Every structure is written in structure tokens, then in C-alpha cells.
């Protein structure tokens, strides 16, 4: 279980925070970049984000936790449909990191 969560943490970081925006303290990841693709970018990133819910289900996380994760993904995807605003929300909201935080908290994983 711990290895799965570590793998998900690395994926979440890559998708949401791998790159620092020059001259700022903000970070963004592949999610924001791929989300720039008209139409298909949002679909691709939403499907990738659903991987976190799938893994949570496989780890036997409670339905209430999976529902919170789905809400995070739905909010980010809904905002992502709005040009420019969606890109800013991608950079600020970071649904994948939120979702891995929820999973790690539930399973009692202490991060260093």
C-alpha cells in the first residue's frame, strides 16, 4: 500500500507542481500545460486524475473519501472549461495533490 501511495504522490507532484513559474513562488505541472490543449486537454487530465480515485478504491478507501476526491476533480475540470480562468485554477487548486493528501491522511501516512 505504501508503495502505491508513494507512486501516486510522485504522479500528483508531476501533474500539479513539477515546474516553478519563474519569478514567483507558484508551481505548476503537466496538468496546466496539457490543459492548454483546446477541448482534449481537459479530458486527458480528468481521466488521469481519476486514476487517484481508482487507486483509492483499490486500496479500500471509504466511499465518502472517494466522493471528496471526485468533487475535487469535478471542480477542477469544470473551471478548466473556461479559457484562461481554468488555467489559473489548475495552477492554484491542484486537485491531484489534494487527493493524494486525502488518501495519505486516511491511511495514516506520515510525510517527511
Amino acid at each position: 500500500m505504501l508503495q502505491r501511495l508513494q507512486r501516486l504522490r510522485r504522479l500528483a507532484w508531476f501533474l500539479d507542481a513539477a515546474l516553478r513559474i519563474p519569478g514567483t513562488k507558484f508551481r505548476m505541472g503537466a496538468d496546466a500545460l496539457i490543459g492548454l490543449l483546446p477541448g482534449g486537454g481537459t479530458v486527458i487530465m480528468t481521466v488521469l486524475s481519476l486514476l487517484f480515485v481508482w487507486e483509492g478504491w483499490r486500496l479500500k478507501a471509504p466511499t465518502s473519501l472517494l466522493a471528496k476526491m471526485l468533487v475535487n476533480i469535478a471542480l477542477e475540470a469544470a473551471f478548466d472549461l473556461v479559457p484562461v480562468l481554468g488555467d489559473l485554477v489548475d495552477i492554484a487548486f491542484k486537485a491531484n495533490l489534494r487527493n493524494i493528501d486525502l488518501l495519505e491522511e486516511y491511511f495514516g501516512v506520515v510525510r517527511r
Side-chain angles (χ1 to χ4, degrees):
M1 173 192 61
L2 187 57
Q3 287 178 335
R4 271 192 201 169
L5 291 174
Q6 288 172 337
R7 188 183 80 237
L8 287 174
R9 168 64 62 186
R10 285 191 302 272
L11 178 60
W13 183 84
F14 174 74
L15 294 175
D16 288 346
L19 304 168
R20 181 173 305 281
I21 298 172
T24 72
K25 64 177 183 165
F26 297 105
R27 299 187 74 85
M28 61 185 262
D31 187 347
L33 295 175
I34 294 171
L36 292 173
L37 297 172
T42 300
V43 173
I44 291 167
M45 294 318 302
T46 300
V47 169
L48 267 175
S49 292
L50 289 171
L51 175 66
F52 292 85
V53 178
W54 170 254
E55 287 291 342
W57 177 79
R58 289 182 58 201
L59 291 168
K60 308 283 190 248
T63 306
S64 60
L65 179 66
L66 299 177
K68 286 179 188 177
M69 293 171 69
L70 286 170
V71 167
N72 286 339
I73 294 167
L75 284 172
E76 190 169 83
F79 277 108
D80 206 24
L81 294 174
V82 180
V84 181
L85 176 64
D87 300 321
L88 296 174
V89 170
D90 267 345
I91 293 169
F93 189 70
K94 302 182 185 320
N96 300 307
L97 286 172
R98 287 174 186 261
N99 285 341
I100 190 60
D101 287 345
L102 289 171
L103 285 172
E104 288 176 342
E105 181 181 334
Y106 175 77
F107 288 110
V109 174
V110 177
R111 289 188 39 220
R112 298 181 228 151

